[in-house]
Amino acid sequence: LPKIKKKENDEKNEWNEAQSCLQAQRTQLQNHKELVRSLANIQDAQEAARRRHIQMLNTHADYMRAANSHYESIFETQRSRIKSSIQDRAAALGVFTAARNRIEEALSVDLKENSTKNTQAVVDDIQEELSKKLDVTLTKE
């Protein structure tokens, strides 16, 4: 009888140990499942953050392209104005150089003839031409 009791007690102890071990494994499995869920949540959060960051970078790139286009437009406008101004000044210089040459020629003739009529005629002619050009320029603007 004591041997049977001991055997029953040993079996009961083994059963309790097995149950305890099984419970520990269940706890480990549950902890593992929670860890996997946590890792999945972290990965989802990282992916969402990555997508938001990419969206932000794309928006920034759009803004930069728009700003670049705007400044290129301003630059082209200024370049065109400067080019036009240079051309206007070059044309004016050409007109005045031609006028000076004509006056010098008329003066040369007048000096030989001891007169002022050629010079006065050229000056009058130049004034009329400049007046017409000025009218055309003012009409254009």
Side-chain angles (χ1 to χ4, degrees):
L1 196 63
K3 281 188 179 181
I4 293 175
K5 272 277 198 208
K6 182 166 178 7
K7 188 175 179 184
E8 281 179 9
N9 204 17
D10 286 347
E11 285 176 0
K12 194 174 182 181
N13 285 341
E14 278 181 34
W15 172 258
N16 286 340
E17 268 184 56
Q19 286 290 59
S20 178
C21 189
L22 185 60
Q23 185 57 43
Q25 286 178 339
R26 282 185 185 145
T27 302
Q28 281 182 333
L29 181 61
Q30 187 60 35
N31 289 343
H32 182 71
K33 283 180 183 178
E34 287 175 19
L35 182 61
V36 167
R37 257 187 252 119
S38 293
L39 287 174
N41 288 341
I42 289 170
Q43 286 174 335
D44 289 347
Q46 285 175 331
E47 179 60 23
R50 187 185 71 79
R51 281 193 303 270
R52 282 191 308 273
H53 187 67
I54 288 171
Q55 184 179 15
M56 182 189 72
L57 289 174
N58 286 334
T59 300
H60 181 68
D62 290 343
Y63 286 142
M64 294 305 291
R65 279 190 288 273
N68 189 46
S69 175
H70 174 70
Y71 288 118
E72 279 180 8
S73 173
I74 290 172
F75 172 77
E76 281 304 314
T77 300
Q78 291 299 329
R79 191 173 78 72
S80 176
R81 285 181 184 163
I82 290 168
K83 183 179 176 184
S84 179
S85 175
I86 289 170
Q87 288 170 340
D88 290 348
R89 289 176 188 195
L93 181 61
V95 167
F96 288 117
T97 300
R100 187 190 70 212
N101 291 341
R102 286 172 58 195
I103 291 170
E104 285 175 358
E105 286 174 23
L107 278 172
S108 176
V109 171
D110 280 348
L111 283 174
K112 288 178 188 171
E113 296 177 359
N114 197 19
S115 163
T116 60
K117 66 179 183 176
N118 291 311
T119 305
Q120 190 59 50
V122 168
V123 169
D124 291 343
D125 189 38
I126 290 170
Q127 282 179 334
E128 189 177 325
E129 287 175 19
L130 289 177
S131 178
K132 287 178 184 173
K133 287 183 182 187
L134 184 60
D135 285 344
V136 169
T137 303
L138 291 176
T139 304
K140 281 183 184 175
E141 291 177 1

